[in-house]
Amino acid sequence: MPGTASHLARLRLALTLFFALDGFVFAGWVVRIPAIKHQIGASASALGLALLGVSAGGVITMTLTGRLCRRYGSHQVTVVCAVLLSLSVALPPLTHSALSLGLVLLLFGAAYGGINVAFNSAAVDLVAALRRPIMPSFHAAFSLGAMAGAGLGGLVAGSLTPTQHLLGLAVIGLLVTAVAGPSLIRLRSPVREPRPDAPLPEPSDPLGRAPRRASSARRGIVVTFGVIALCTAYGEGAMADWGALHLEQDLGTSAGLAAAGYSLFALAMTAGRLSGTAQLMRLGTTRVIVFGGATAAAGMLLGALAPTTWAALLGFAVAGFGLANLFPVSIERAGAVAGPDGVALASTLGYGGMLLGPPTIGFMADWLSLPAALTSVAILAATAAAIGFTTRKASGR
C-alpha cells in the first residue's frame, strides 16, 4: 500500500539513492573543469559561456518537467533522466572548443534539470505523507554524493584523464540506475498524482496537500521561494564552477587540493542538511533562511578574499553550511503550495541563478578578478536572508 510505513521507507531509500547519484555525477564533472578548460584553451569568459550550457539546458527542461511528472509520474521521469544524465557526463572530454563544450553541456544540463524537478516532486509528496520536514535529508544525500564525487575526482586527477574519469562516472551512474530504477518505478507515489484536467483538491486535503495548480496568490508565494532558491543556486553553482579554479589559479594550490576545496564545501553542506530537519522543527523556516543566508555571506567573503589556502577553505566550509538548507526549504515550500508545477517554477527560478552565475562570474573575473567576482555570492546570500525576513509570513513558520 502506498501509505504504509514499509512502503514509505523503501520509497525514501530509493529517492535518497537518486539524490546521491545526482550529486556524485555532477561533482565528478565539476572537479575536471580546470582540465577541460586547459584542453579547449578557453579564456575565463569563454569558459563561462560554455558552462552556461548546463544551466540553460536545465532551465529549459525544468519548464517542461512539471507537466511530464503530472502526466507520467515523477518516479518514471526520475529514472529516465538518470539514464540521460549518466550518458551525457561522458561527453565533455570529447570536445575541443568552447562551442562544442557548450553544446554537450546543454544536453547534460537538460538531464540534470529534469531529474532535479522529478525527484524533488517525488520528495515533496513523501514529505506530505510523512508530515515531517525531511526535505533537507534528501539534499544531504545530494551533498554527500557530491562530496564523494569531488573526493574521488581529486584522488584520480593525477592518474586518470578526464575521458577515463568521466566515462567511469557514466558506468557507475548506469549501474546505480539499473539497480534502484526498477524499484522506484514499482513504488507508487504516496499522494496520487491528479490528471492535468482533474479538479483541484481543497487546501484541507487529509494529507495536507495544496492545490496542484497555483492561483495568483499561491504563484506569488512560489515565486518568492524561487527567488530565494535563485540566490542560493547562484552560490552553489559558483562554488561548483569556479571554486576549484580560484584555489588553483589565485592561491597556487595543487589540482588535488583544489578539488578537495569543493569536497569540503560539499561536506559542510551535508552536515548542515543532515541537521536540517532538527533546525526546521526548532527554529522554523524563516530563521533557517535568515541565519543560513547571513552565515553563507560571511563565509563566502572569507573564501573569496582570504590570502591563504587554509583560510579560503574555512570560508568555503562556512559558506556551505550556511547555504545548506536554503534551497531544499525553498523547493519544498513551493511544492507544498503548488505540487510539481510549484517545484518546476521554483526550480526554474532557482537554477536561473546557475544560468546567471557562470557568465557573470566569468566576465567579472576578466574585468576585475576571480576573487572579486566571487564576492557576488556573498551579496546574493545576504539578499536571500533579507527576502526570507521581509516575506516571513509567506513561509508559514
Side-chain angles (χ1 to χ4, degrees), residues 8-396:
L8 296 179
R10 292 195 304 273
L11 179 55
R12 185 175 183 179
L13 176 60
L15 286 174
T16 299
L17 286 175
F18 279 103
F19 271 88
L21 175 64
D22 188 41
F24 180 79
V25 171
F26 185 74
W29 143 248
V30 161
V31 299
R32 301 316 294 253
I33 288 176
I36 300 296
K37 178 180 183 292
H38 177 74
Q39 174 182 301
I40 64 176
S43 65
S45 57
L47 178 63
L49 288 173
L51 294 173
L52 181 64
V54 177
S55 300
V59 168
I60 291 170
T61 306
M62 285 174 183
T63 61
L64 304 174
T65 307
R67 299 176 189 175
L68 293 175
C69 288
R70 283 191 287 110
R71 181 169 183 177
Y72 299 107
S74 54
H75 296 183
Q76 288 82 351
V77 176
T78 295
V79 173
V80 171
C81 289
V83 172
L84 295 177
L85 183 74
S86 300
L87 292 174
S88 60
V89 76
L91 299 178
L94 305 180
T95 63
H96 297 283
S97 69
L99 177 59
S100 59
L101 177 62
L103 291 175
V104 301
L105 290 181
L106 192 67
L107 177 61
F108 179 71
Y112 181 72
I115 195 172
N116 273 269
V117 171
F119 61 35
N120 273 298
S121 296
V124 167
D125 286 342
L126 184 56
V127 168
L130 291 173
R131 297 178 179 272
R132 294 185 66 236
I134 63 166
M135 193 65 152
S137 70
F138 291 116
H139 289 259
F142 173 90
S143 296
L144 188 60
M147 182 185 67
L152 177 63
L155 289 175
V156 305
S159 56
L160 295 181
T161 66
T163 301
Q164 293 168 329
H165 176 203
L166 297 185
L167 181 60
L169 292 186
V171 172
I172 292 172
L174 291 173
L175 288 175
V176 172
T177 303
V179 171
S183 177
L184 182 63
I185 291 174
R186 286 195 301 268
L187 293 169
R188 294 177 57 194
S189 171
V191 179
R192 182 174 297 177
E193 301 281 353
R195 301 187 318 273
D197 58 344
L200 298 179
E202 295 297 324
S204 58
D205 185 310
L207 287 174
R209 296 292 295 163
R212 311 302 285 184
R213 295 181 185 272
S215 65
S216 297
R218 294 191 192 99
R219 188 179 181 86
I221 296 173
V222 169
V223 169
T224 297
F225 285 107
V227 172
I228 294 174
L230 181 153
C231 295
T232 306
Y234 181 100
E236 292 189 53
M239 283 302 304
D241 292 343
W242 297 102
L245 194 61
H246 168 57
L247 292 173
E248 190 172 342
Q249 171 183 291
D250 299 313
L251 298 178
T253 63
S254 64
L257 187 56
Y262 181 71
S263 183
L264 183 62
F265 174 81
L267 175 62
M269 291 200 78
T270 303
R273 286 170 172 174
L274 286 173
S275 63
T277 296
Q279 290 182 45
L280 287 167
M281 294 180 71
R282 182 173 182 177
L283 301 176
T285 301
T286 296
R287 289 193 180 113
V288 167
I289 292 174
V290 172
F291 293 160
T295 300
M300 205 56 219
L301 283 176
L302 177 62
L305 302 178
T308 65
T309 298
W310 298 110
L313 290 173
L314 175 62
F316 288 171
V318 172
F321 190 84
L323 290 175
N325 294 306
L326 272 64
F327 193 88
V329 166
S330 300
I331 298 302
E332 189 277 328
R333 294 302 301 162
V337 169
D341 290 336
V343 172
L345 177 56
S347 296
T348 301
L349 289 171
Y351 285 101
M354 295 183 71
L355 181 69
L356 294 172
T360 299
I361 291 180
F363 286 124
M364 288 178 67
D366 278 350
W367 295 334
L368 302 170
S369 68
L370 183 53
L374 289 173
T375 61
S376 62
V377 175
I379 294 172
L380 287 184
T383 300
I387 294 173
F389 179 77
T390 57
T391 61
R392 54 193 176 277
K393 291 183 179 180
S395 70

